Amino acid sequence: MRRPSPPPFLLPFLLLLAATSPSATHGFNITKILATHPDFSTFNHYLTATHLASEINRRQTITVLAIDNAAMSPLLAKHLSLPTLKNVLSLHVLVDYYGAKKLHQITHGTALASSLFQATGAAPGTSGFVNITDHRAGLVSFAATSDDSSAPLPPSSSFVKSLNEQPYNLSIIQISKPLSSPEAEAPAAAPAPVNLTDLMTRKGCALFAGLLSADADTLKTFTESAEGGLTVFCPIDPAVKAFLPVYKNLTADGKASLLLYHGYPVYSSLQGLKSNNGVVTTLATDGGAKKNYNFTVQDDGEKVTLETGVSTATITSTLIDQDPVAVYEVDKVLQPLELFKPEETEAPEPAPAKSKNKKGKQVAETPVDSPDAAPADLTADDNAASGTRFVFAGGVAAVLLAVVVIA
Ligand SMILES: *[C@@H]1O[C@H](CO)[C@@H](O)[C@H](O)[C@H]1NC(C)=O
Ligand SMILES: *[C@@H]1O[C@H](CO)[C@@H](O)[C@H](O)[C@H]1NC(C)=O
Ligand SMILES: *[C@@H]1O[C@H](CO)[C@@H](O)[C@H](O)[C@H]1NC(C)=O
Ligand SMILES: *[C@@H]1O[C@H](CO)[C@@H](O)[C@H](O)[C@H]1NC(C)=O
Ligand SMILES: *[C@@H]1O[C@H](CO)[C@@H](O)[C@H](O)[C@H]1NC(C)=O
Ligand SMILES: *[C@@H]1O[C@H](CO)[C@@H](O)[C@H](O)[C@H]1NC(C)=O
């Protein structure tokens, strides 16, 4: 049963939802595709280890110059650091589509293709391009450009075969040898870690960032997890503001668990969340006995929701998606079953009139801002969280609208 049309005060929110719908819906997974070619397992492994795999999956038009396990050995024998290896491997990812056919029909016999090393701004000067040459005999060779003209020309690599072509989105072709250049092999520093609280403060989750900053141990758990992979769901400021009285009433342990509940200790792109719906554990999850602190990720094609069993939050925007860290903004505070009572009835389809009245009444009588309410009482009308904040801004008329929204 759908409500007729969204009340005007919800429009900005709905527009925001529309604006932040992910563009990366073409949905290829380079890791999965290469997994069907066991000869390329080493190359595939390092695409994941260097986080290039997620960078590739995010792109719409891409060519991957894959190296088989035997040809990877000389590269690995150089014992490059992971950030340096990432630069070298990113030479093997061209930000344009080159299928076997196009390679053998290059106009004037040579083309200069931009690699991910060049396209991401990591390559100095004129390095980071791949010179593709279509020789007369049908041989196609590849060589990385260097900024240093005195550097010896790198041995060129040649086209072996096509592994997978999805014109004009993704092409994976095998080349004989790894590409390299002095610039790509120069020692590279690991990227500076993302400052989570700073990022959230600047992008609409300042109150949540403030709560995290006030709890040094919890903040440390978040920052340490961020090194190995972390997805954070930060509730928008109005949602946290309405929730503060309840938060303040939690014990110190309860507060820490609530904050930790907003961290999923695995990096996940929005596409990844969509394709791996299901129960996820959180930073608050205690391997031991009863502390599950899990929630369920769902999507209806467009929206991604997080169902805690107490409330359902929706992802409204992406603050950062940079493997190994992703931060998404959500419209509600996530309330774990371990700390809050579930709503009596979710009744997603035809809502019984009785429950409608009851919830409506609670909105009027037990405003979320009331400092007197105990957490368990409040959770009953958590559905109202996004609507409720308008109640106090808009007065009695808005109360009636909020009731409509909840129903
Ligand atoms: C690309 O390589 C070919 C030979 O393989 C060479 O003639 C040409 O000058 C190179 N182009 C660039 C821009 O390096
Ligand atoms: C390429 O991507 C577009 C969307 O960006 C999609 O509509 C199309 O089906 C894709 N083509 C292939 C061959 O996967
Ligand atoms: C993160 O940024 C905040 C300022 O927004 C600063 O106070 C804090 O020290 C920074 N944390 C780290 C680990 O750099
Ligand atoms: C891609 O596939 C791999 C292996 O099948 C899987 O582990 C990974 O989660 C997938 N990534 C996404 C973004 O779905
Ligand atoms: C998630 O948590 C609930 C409640 O604590 C528990 O009953 C359930 O078994 C957990 N599910 C998984 C898959 O861990
Ligand atoms: C805090 O919890 C106690 C005990 O559950 C309750 O009596 C009190 O009303 C609550 N206060 C607030 C501000 O929620």
Side-chain angles (χ1 to χ4, degrees):
M1 188 186 278
R2 305 308 314 154
R3 54 186 102 94
S5 65
F9 61 72
L10 276 183
L11 281 178
F13 174 70
L14 294 176
L15 286 177
L16 180 69
L17 265 182
T20 56
S21 296
S23 53
T25 44
H26 55 95
F28 55 75
N29 179 339
I30 183 75
T31 313
K32 207 165 161 181
I33 297 171
L34 279 175
T36 63
H37 300 276
D39 285 0
F40 293 81
S41 58
T42 308
F43 182 73
N44 199 12
H45 166 80
Y46 283 103
L47 286 187
T48 301
T50 56
H51 304 303
L52 279 171
S54 48
E55 184 74 31
I56 292 168
N57 294 342
R58 252 204 302 275
R59 300 259 170 175
Q60 302 280 353
T61 304
I62 209 110
T63 300
V64 177
L65 308 175
I67 318 282
D68 71 7
N69 294 347
M72 276 296 281
S73 305
L75 177 60
L76 296 180
K78 293 181 178 177
H79 299 293
L80 303 172
S81 71
L82 207 54
T84 302
L85 188 60
K86 178 176 186 171
N87 284 345
V88 173
L89 289 181
S90 62
L91 277 175
H92 296 74
V93 183
L94 309 181
V95 295
D96 196 356
Y97 183 86
Y98 287 95
K101 195 170 158 211
K102 183 169 166 188
L103 285 173
H104 290 95
Q105 293 175 350
I106 289 174
T107 335
H108 307 308
T110 146
L112 217 45
S114 206
S115 74
L116 217 46
F117 183 45
Q118 195 276 329
T120 54
T126 56
S127 67
F129 291 92
V130 174
N131 182 352
I132 308 174
T133 309
D134 179 15
H135 301 270
R136 268 170 224 260
L139 173 88
V140 177
S141 69
F142 299 81
T145 61
S146 168
D147 206 22
D148 177 3
S149 50
S150 68
L153 281 176
S156 75
S157 180
S158 52
F159 173 82
V160 178
K161 64 173 185 279
S162 173
L163 296 177
N164 189 305
E165 295 192 9
Q166 301 176 19
Y168 294 91
N169 303 350
L170 173 69
S171 164
I172 308 175
I173 61 187
Q174 179 186 1
I175 59 170
S176 60
K177 288 199 255 280
L179 304 177
S180 196
S181 73
E183 289 83 5
E185 285 191 32
V194 175
N195 184 329
L196 287 174
T197 52
D198 184 52
L199 173 84
M200 292 192 282
T201 303
R202 286 185 287 109
K203 298 200 172 180
C205 294
L207 291 177
F208 184 75
L211 296 180
L212 267 185
S213 301
D215 183 341
D217 284 345
T218 300
L219 180 59
K220 191 161 165 248
T221 306
F222 271 86
T223 47
E224 284 177 0
S225 304
E227 291 165 22
L230 177 69
T231 302
V232 181
F233 302 97
C234 75
I236 51 171
D237 283 341
V240 176
K241 186 165 184 247
F243 187 76
L244 276 181
V246 182
Y247 179 80
K248 290 195 178 119
N249 206 19
L250 294 168
T251 62
D253 272 357
K255 283 178 182 151
S257 296
L258 182 104
L259 296 175
L260 292 169
Y261 189 58
H262 290 76
Y264 166 42
V266 172
Y267 157 77
S268 187
S269 64
L270 205 50
Q271 191 201 339
L273 287 174
K274 284 183 166 190
S275 55
N276 300 313
N277 279 192
V279 176
V280 300
T281 55
T282 65
L283 290 172
T285 303
D286 181 342
K290 286 169 91 183
K291 309 263 181 181
N292 269 298
Y293 284 105
N294 62 40
F295 57 78
T296 305
V297 179
Q298 297 276 24
D299 83 292
D300 64 2
E302 283 301 314
K303 284 194 305 180
V304 178
T305 59
L306 314 176
E307 298 170 5
T308 72
V310 176
S311 58
T312 299
T314 302
I315 293 183
T316 50
S317 73
T318 300
L319 303 195
I320 194 171
D321 175 359
Q322 191 181 299
D323 194 350
V325 175
V327 181
Y328 304 105
E329 188 180 79
V330 291
D331 64 342
K332 282 182 199 158
V333 173
L334 303 179
Q335 292 170 268
L337 270 173
E338 285 74 9
L339 296 175
F340 301 95
K341 274 199 224 154
E343 287 165 352
E344 294 132 28
T345 37
E346 262 290 313
E349 278 312 283
K354 198 173 140 221
S355 123
K356 218 184 249 178
N357 289 340
K358 187 155 185 274
K359 281 184 179 168
K361 208 165 139 236
Q362 281 176 338
V363 172
E365 288 184 1
T366 321
V368 170
D369 279 352
S370 162
D372 299 329
D377 292 336
L378 274 166
T379 57
D381 48 25
D382 182 74
N383 263 346
S386 59
T388 308
R389 61 181 189 266
F390 299 99
V391 172
F392 300 98
V396 176
V399 171
L400 293 174
L401 275 177
V403 171
V404 172
V405 174
I406 295 150

